[in-house]
């Protein structure tokens, strides 16, 4: 209510002829749906570089006008991690500074070079760390390695030279969630963001008077999405919008407590317009989905207790680290480096787990599911293939510390500084892991 | 019916009106005479330095500009040419900000094991002293600055994300501090979104900063009294996403707006004067201007995104005190030669 009041107050003061960010404070800018038009478009003085009357030189630059961290910062001390920043100060010489669960896009600018143990000069490109959105104003360029989305599979793939924030997010925020959990682009008005644990609960019948809706999670695109700036052959159509709830504070380091985004699935029949996380990713990466390449890819959207390998949820709950693979407890086993999708249809169930103070650390139960985001971040990470952990080396830690240049195997160090490791693991001390921690694949497989 | 006399009266009134308009536009008020002119971009021997959102600082005594970018401090002379750089590959930690200290020293804001430290370096960037903050009150125990200004033998430190400002003696001992949430009456519940930008001092020692989240600019005196102005919108004079802020020699306030890609000018009475820049390919255009700095010749330095580096503009005010521009440059060159 306070933010709505602010919206009205400022909009009124801005006047009818004012064009620009005549909205509320920036946090309430989107308000779960289409924002004030002038925040992104300029009616009379747009950028000369694009044809959509945008303020930015391109679509993603327009987003980053507000979502790029504008101040200097050191990842270890930058305590003003504004919730809405998704891109920080990462570069060839500086460590990214933002810690949203999706990841800081500037990891795609941070590459590494080292001489491997055979004496061969080796590199890990920044581009390999995430989705290479194009935002020329902010020095984000086209993916140099992939012409289309990797493992496109059943479709022609999404062209890398078109990838922008609005490839995945609907900038106009038309997708909305109703009281029954279904998603549509029309119906009851959106009254607020639906992304947070504190988001209001939508009410009424979607198409009857007095009903209310909230925005789809993170303005993600859904069924029938067809962005104006890129029209794929046959349309860039998602199977629906996936379910999730984020804690109210989420852009933070996890030094003392984890940030838990509660991801959802609904194996027993999702409401209209809703899909699973992995199905949603498969829009562009269809060949990676186990439904398409059955037996050839790691399963997704599958219950953890339905694996041919046994009940993997039990392994997840028992696993603490390499040094203790059986001593865990299902009430405290959650690890944000290996999240899972709760097979819960109710958003209230997700909201209860969307915490940032370790008050909800319960692990998976029975048919909770593995998904793409169990291993990958959505935007970018400090590791190759935007994995949540370093999966390029046998060991994550060496003698209770992150690998150290000049001391440990250079192929474990991979050109990284101590700050790189700490930032990539969101502020975690190496002691959280085992003395000689192996890959976090073992959280579900315990082969270490 | 109009008479000849009536015509004369009408003419007199018209002339009086014109005279009044001319008077209103007189230099005494400043408005309408403010002009900016693009000079050049900060450059090295191989051309313009394509920095993005670099942090700026000025050494007014030596007429040098510091650009802090990717852990390096790059120093430019009064003609905007790089003369020295340091920082890369040395153990400064992450250099967040820098300023000119006393007697040609350089002050770098960095961190040692999570603690903020001001490194006092000589003119070559060789560290001479580590200055840690001392005597901070309990409510500022977590103070994590990322901006630094040295002025009148005091260190001004700002934590943009923490919304805190601390003033110290050169040895790091605490003098006073401001929690901007409390001081400005802001809502602490919005701390996940709030931070200030800008952080400069004007010639009277007032602290200048903006808070883009609430579309406001602030002029805060050392005793804490402040003036705030700004309202959101795209019309000339309104704020979109405001960033750096400086004051020129005439007391005009200049504020960068990242979304408008422009610099907004307000006079000493906070009356809107003009905007300049705007997105485009021309040298006078801007792309996402962020940090601003100004030298003692009223040349304004605009740090931008998209690899557009730092553009320098000369400001003139239509009176004899204007120092920027070609005249200013030649004067300055003569001064340098004689020195």
């Amino acid at each position: 209510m306070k933010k709505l009041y602010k919206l009205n107050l400022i909009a009124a003061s801005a006047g009818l002829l004012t064009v620009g960010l005549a909205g509320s404070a920036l946090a309430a800018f989107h308000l779960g749906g289409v924002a004030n038009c002038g925040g992104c478009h300029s009616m009379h003085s747009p950028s000369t570089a694009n044809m959509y009357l945008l303020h930015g030189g391109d679509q993603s630059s327009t987003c980053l006008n507000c979502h790029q961290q504008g101040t200097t910062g050191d990842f270890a001390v930058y305590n003003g991690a504004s919730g809405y920043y998704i891109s920080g100060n990462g570069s060839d010489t500086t460590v990214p500074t933002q810690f949203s669960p999706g990841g800081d896009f500037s990891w795609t600018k941070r590459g590494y070079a080292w001489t491997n143990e055979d004496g061969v000069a080796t590199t890990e490109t920044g581009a390999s760390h995430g989705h290479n959105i194009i935002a020329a104003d902010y020095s984000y360029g086209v993916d140099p390695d992939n012409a289309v989305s990797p493992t496109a599979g059943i479709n022609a793939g999404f062209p890398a030279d078109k990838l922008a924030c609005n490839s995945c997010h609907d900038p106009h925020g038309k997708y909305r969630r109703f009281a029954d959990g279904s998603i549509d682009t029309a119906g009851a008005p959106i009254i607020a963001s639906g992304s947070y644990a504190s988001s209001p609960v939508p009410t009424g019948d979607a198409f009857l008077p007095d009903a209310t809706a909230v925005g789809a999670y993170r303005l993600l695109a859904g069924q029938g999405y067809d962005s104006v700036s890129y029209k794929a052959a046959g349309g860039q159509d998602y199977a629906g919008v996936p379910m999730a709830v984020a804690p109210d504070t989420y852009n933070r380091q996890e030094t003392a407590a984890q940030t838990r985004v509660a991801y959802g699935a609904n194996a027993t029949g999702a409401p209209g317009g809703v899909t699973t996380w992995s199905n949603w990713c498969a829009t562009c990466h269809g060949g990676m989905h186990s439904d398409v390449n059955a037996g050839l890819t790691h399963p997704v959207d599958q219950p953890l207790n339905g694996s041919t390998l046994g009940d993997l949820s039990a392994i997840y709950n028992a696993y603490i680290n390499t040094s203790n693979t059986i001593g865990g407890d299902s009430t405290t086993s959650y690890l944000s480096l290996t999240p899972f999708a709760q097979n819960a249809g109710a958003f209230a169930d997700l909201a209860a787990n969307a915490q940032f103070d370790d008050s909800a650390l319960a692990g998976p139960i029975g048919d909770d599911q593995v998904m793409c985001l169990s291993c990958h971040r959505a935007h970018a990470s400090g590791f190759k293939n935007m994995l949540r952990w370093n999966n390029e080396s046998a060991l994550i830690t060496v003698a209770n510390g992150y690998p150290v240049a000049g001391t440990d195997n250079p192929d474990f160090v991979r050109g990284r500084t101590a700050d790189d490791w700490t930032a990539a693991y969101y502020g975690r001390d190496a002691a959280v892991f085992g003395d000689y921690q192996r890959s976090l694949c073992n959280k579900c497989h315990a082969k270490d | 019916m109009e008479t000849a006399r009536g015509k004369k009266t009408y003419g007199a009134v018209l002339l009086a009106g014109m005279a009044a308009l001319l008077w209103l536009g007189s230099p005494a008020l400043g408005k309408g005479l403010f002009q900016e002119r693009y000079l050049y971009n900060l450059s090295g021997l191989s051309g313009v330095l394509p920095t993005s959102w670099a942090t700026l600082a000025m050494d007014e005594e030596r007429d040098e500009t510091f650009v802090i970018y990717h852990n390096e401090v790059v120093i430019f002379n009064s003609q905007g040419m790089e003369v020295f750089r340091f920082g890369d590959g040395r153990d400064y930690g992450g250099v967040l900000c820098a300023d000119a200290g006393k007697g040609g020293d350089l002050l770098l804001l960095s961190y040692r094991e999570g603690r903020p430290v001001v490194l006092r370096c000589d003119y070559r960037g060789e560290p001479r002293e580590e200055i840690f903050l001392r005597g901070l009150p309990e409510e500022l125990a977590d103070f994590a600055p990322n901006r630094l200004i040295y002025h009148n033998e005091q260190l001004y430190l700002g934590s943009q994300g923490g919304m805190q400002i601390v003033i110290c003696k050169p040895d790091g001992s605490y003098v006073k501090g401001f929690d901007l949430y409390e001081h400005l009456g802001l809502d602490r519940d919005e701390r996940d979104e709030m931070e200030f930008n800008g952080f400069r001092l004007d010639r009277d020692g007032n602290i200048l900063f903006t808070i883009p989240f609430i579309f406001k600019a602030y002029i805060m005196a050392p005793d804490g009294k402040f003036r705030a102005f700004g309202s959101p919108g795209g019309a000339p004079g309104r704020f979109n996403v405001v960033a750096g802020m400086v004051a020129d020699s005439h007391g005009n306030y200049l504020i960068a707006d990242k979304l408008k890609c422009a610099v907004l000018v307000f006079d000493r009475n906070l009356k809107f004067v003009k905007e300049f820049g705007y997105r485009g390919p021309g040298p006078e255009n801007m792309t996402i201007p962020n940090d601003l700095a100004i030298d003692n010749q009223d040349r304004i330095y605009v740090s931008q995104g998209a690899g557009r580096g730092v553009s320098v503009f000369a400001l003139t005010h239509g009176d004899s005190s204007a120092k920027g521009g070609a005249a200013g440059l030649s004067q300055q060159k003569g001064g340098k030669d004689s020195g």
Side-chain angles (χ1 to χ4, degrees):
Chain A
M1 182 57 76
K2 181 180 64 179
K3 285 181 177 170
L4 281 173
Y5 168 76
K6 207 183 280 183
L7 176 74
N8 292 334
L9 181 71
I10 297 179
S13 68
L16 288 174
L17 292 177
T18 299
V19 179
L21 263 183
S24 151
L26 294 174
F29 174 64
H30 293 289
L31 216 66
V34 66
N36 185 292
C37 307
C40 304
H41 301 277
S42 174
M43 301 308 106
H44 306 297
S45 57
S47 162
T48 54
N50 69 67
M51 57 184 289
Y52 306 109
L53 299 181
L54 292 170
H55 281 297
D58 48 48
Q59 296 91 319
S60 301
S61 293
T62 302
C63 303
L64 293 182
N65 278 339
C66 293
H67 289 283
Q68 162 80 32
Q69 177 195 344
T71 57
T72 54
D74 181 295
F75 91 92
V77 295
Y78 184 74
N79 60 1
S82 290
Y84 51 83
Y85 290 153
I86 46 108
S87 173
N89 289 333
S91 74
D92 273 348
T93 54
T94 52
V95 178
T97 45
Q98 299 300 311
F99 298 92
S100 70
D104 183 332
F105 276 110
S106 68
W107 282 112
T108 63
K109 297 178 180 175
R110 184 137 180 89
Y112 301 102
W114 69 97
T115 302
N116 73 11
E117 61 179 342
D118 297 326
V120 178
T122 310
T123 60
E124 179 180 307
T125 64
S128 71
H129 293 158
H131 278 115
N132 287 264
I133 54 164
I134 300 159
D137 291 354
Y138 294 87
S139 305
Y140 286 104
V142 179
D143 187 330
D145 303 318
N146 300 286
V148 296
S149 47
T151 321
I154 57 174
N155 57 31
F158 192 92
D161 63 356
K162 302 292 184 192
L163 186 64
C165 301
N166 66 323
S167 303
C168 302
H169 301 270
D170 173 15
H172 297 122
K174 288 175 69 70
Y175 294 89
R176 65 201 71 192
R177 174 162 55 87
F178 302 115
D180 64 358
S182 63
I183 302 275
D184 207 333
T185 55
I190 298 169
I191 61 167
S193 168
S195 300
Y196 301 106
S198 64
S199 293
V201 176
T203 58
D205 186 305
F207 292 95
L208 292 180
D210 300 328
T212 60
V214 294
Y217 184 70
R218 298 299 188 212
L219 307 180
L220 288 176
Q223 286 179 353
Y225 182 62
D226 198 9
S227 73
V228 173
S229 56
Y230 174 66
K231 292 181 182 300
Q236 179 197 339
D237 196 2
Y238 290 88
V241 177
M243 301 161 62
V245 177
D248 292 351
T249 296
Y250 56 88
N251 189 350
R252 56 186 290 280
Q253 297 194 44
E254 299 179 44
T255 310
Q258 300 189 76
T259 302
R260 181 169 187 171
V261 175
Y263 299 98
N266 196 331
T268 56
V274 175
T275 191
T276 62
W277 278 96
S278 303
N279 252 339
W280 189 85
C281 300
T283 306
C284 297
H285 302 285
M288 288 181 177
H289 199 288
S290 48
D291 279 355
V292 177
N293 277 333
L296 300 177
T297 66
H298 187 286
V300 286
D301 295 342
Q302 301 296 321
L304 288 163
N305 64 355
S307 169
T308 54
L309 303 175
D311 183 356
L312 300 183
S313 65
I315 297 176
Y316 187 111
N317 287 326
Y319 188 94
I320 296 176
N321 55 37
T322 294
S323 304
N324 185 352
T325 62
I326 57 172
D329 182 321
S330 64
T331 61
T332 57
S333 63
Y334 172 80
L335 179 63
S336 66
L337 295 173
T338 54
F340 52 88
Q342 287 178 246
N343 189 21
F347 273 86
D349 293 339
L350 300 180
N353 277 342
Q355 306 294 336
F356 62 97
D357 58 0
D358 281 356
S359 60
L361 291 178
I365 53 172
D367 55 0
D368 286 345
Q369 297 182 1
V370 60
M371 56 178 178
C372 302
L373 294 182
S374 295
C375 307
H376 302 275
R377 292 195 186 274
H379 293 165
S381 80
F383 306 110
K384 201 168 181 180
N385 301 320
M386 58 191 205
L387 284 164
R388 292 174 183 265
W389 66 91
N390 173 30
N391 206 38
E392 297 297 309
S393 312
L395 298 178
I396 287 177
T397 59
V398 180
N400 212 23
Y402 293 124
V404 177
T407 302
D408 296 317
N409 183 327
D411 291 333
F412 293 173
V413 182
R414 299 182 66 80
R416 286 162 167 83
T417 66
D419 285 353
D420 280 303
W421 290 120
T422 308
Y425 287 114
Y426 281 49
R428 284 176 174 81
D429 190 279
V432 170
F433 302 107
D435 287 356
Y436 290 87
Q437 178 67 46
R438 302 268 172 169
S439 167
L440 292 181
C441 295
N442 291 299
K443 180 68 172 165
C444 291
H445 298 286
K447 300 300 183 190
D448 48 343
Chain B
M1 180 174 290
E2 198 174 60
T3 65
R5 190 185 186 100
K7 268 186 184 173
K8 279 183 183 171
T9 306
Y10 173 76
V13 169
L14 187 66
L15 282 171
M18 288 173 68
L21 282 175
L22 284 172
W23 180 84
L24 282 170
S26 70
L29 289 180
K31 182 164 182 176
L33 298 172
F34 179 99
Q35 293 290 331
E36 79 293 337
R37 185 166 61 84
Y38 171 79
L39 294 176
Y40 48 74
N41 272 51
L42 297 184
S43 308
L45 291 177
S46 56
V48 169
L49 257 64
T51 54
S52 291
W53 284 17
T55 302
L56 305 173
M58 302 300 307
D59 182 348
E60 296 196 352
E61 197 174 323
R62 272 156 290 279
D63 214 352
E64 291 178 332
T65 310
F66 302 162
V67 170
I68 301 94
Y69 188 62
H70 288 179
N71 280 337
E72 280 197 305
V73 180
V74 189
I75 301 175
F76 297 83
N77 66 15
S78 62
Q79 311 302 310
M81 291 298 294
E82 178 182 341
V83 293
F84 188 58
R85 69 168 61 202
F86 65 94
D88 192 26
R90 300 177 71 168
D91 186 26
Y92 295 105
V95 179
L96 301 184
C97 201
D99 204 2
K102 191 175 183 181
D105 284 346
L106 297 164
L107 302 175
L108 310 183
L109 174 60
S110 184
Y111 278 79
R112 285 274 191 268
E113 297 175 349
R115 288 180 67 197
V117 60
V118 176
L119 298 174
R120 186 175 64 77
C121 302
D122 68 13
Y123 66 100
R124 294 181 62 84
E126 298 289 344
R128 291 289 180 247
E129 182 185 9
E130 292 188 347
I131 303 166
F132 289 95
L133 305 184
R134 296 184 286 121
L136 291 179
E138 192 174 336
E139 61 270 22
L140 289 169
D142 295 329
F143 180 60
N146 62 337
R147 295 304 294 260
L148 163 72
I149 300 170
Y150 178 78
H151 177 74
N152 275 355
E153 303 204 3
Q154 285 190 313
L155 297 171
Y156 290 69
L157 294 153
S159 168
Q160 292 177 276
M163 294 283 285
Q164 296 159 325
I165 293 171
V166 164
I167 302 172
C168 297
K169 292 178 181 172
D171 65 358
S173 55
Y174 177 79
V175 175
K176 70 168 75 167
F178 299 96
D179 177 329
L180 295 181
Y181 287 108
E182 188 176 322
H183 194 73
L184 306 177
L186 302 174
D187 186 351
R188 203 178 289 273
D189 289 344
E190 292 178 328
R191 62 183 175 274
D192 282 349
E193 325 290 347
M194 202 86 79
E195 66 180 2
F196 70 78
N197 212 322
F199 198 56
R200 298 282 175 202
L201 299 184
D202 67 14
R203 288 159 199 250
D204 298 323
N206 298 309
I207 304 170
L208 312 179
F209 59 92
T210 62
I211 302 181
F213 182 74
I214 54 173
F215 310 98
K216 292 288 180 197
Y218 289 84
I219 304 159
M220 191 168 85
D223 66 2
K225 290 178 183 167
F226 66 88
R227 291 189 291 167
F229 65 104
S231 59
R238 290 183 182 269
F239 290 178
N240 275 177
V241 180
V242 284
M245 179 176 179
V246 294
D248 68 13
S249 64
H250 281 53
N252 296 308
Y253 298 101
L254 295 94
I255 298 171
D257 191 312
K258 295 193 290 188
L259 200 54
K260 283 185 171 181
C261 292
V263 171
L264 285 61
V265 185
F266 296 83
D267 70 15
R268 63 172 66 245
N269 298 315
L270 309 182
K271 196 171 178 184
F272 175 64
V273 176
K274 69 181 298 188
E275 297 177 352
F276 64 94
Y278 299 115
R279 184 181 283 273
E284 73 285 3
N285 294 130
M286 298 174 188
T287 303
I288 323 168
N290 190 36
D291 201 12
L292 298 180
I294 194 164
D295 66 15
N296 54 16
Q297 299 187 63
D298 271 349
R299 290 181 299 193
I300 183 173
Y301 297 72
V302 185
S303 176
Q304 301 161 73
R308 291 197 60 156
V310 180
S311 301
V312 185
F313 294 81
L315 308 182
T316 55
H317 305 84
D319 59 24
S320 58
S321 66
K323 295 174 182 172
L329 281 175
S330 59
Q331 287 167 9
Q332 183 184 317
K333 188 180 277 185
K336 270 284 179 190
D337 290 343
S338 65

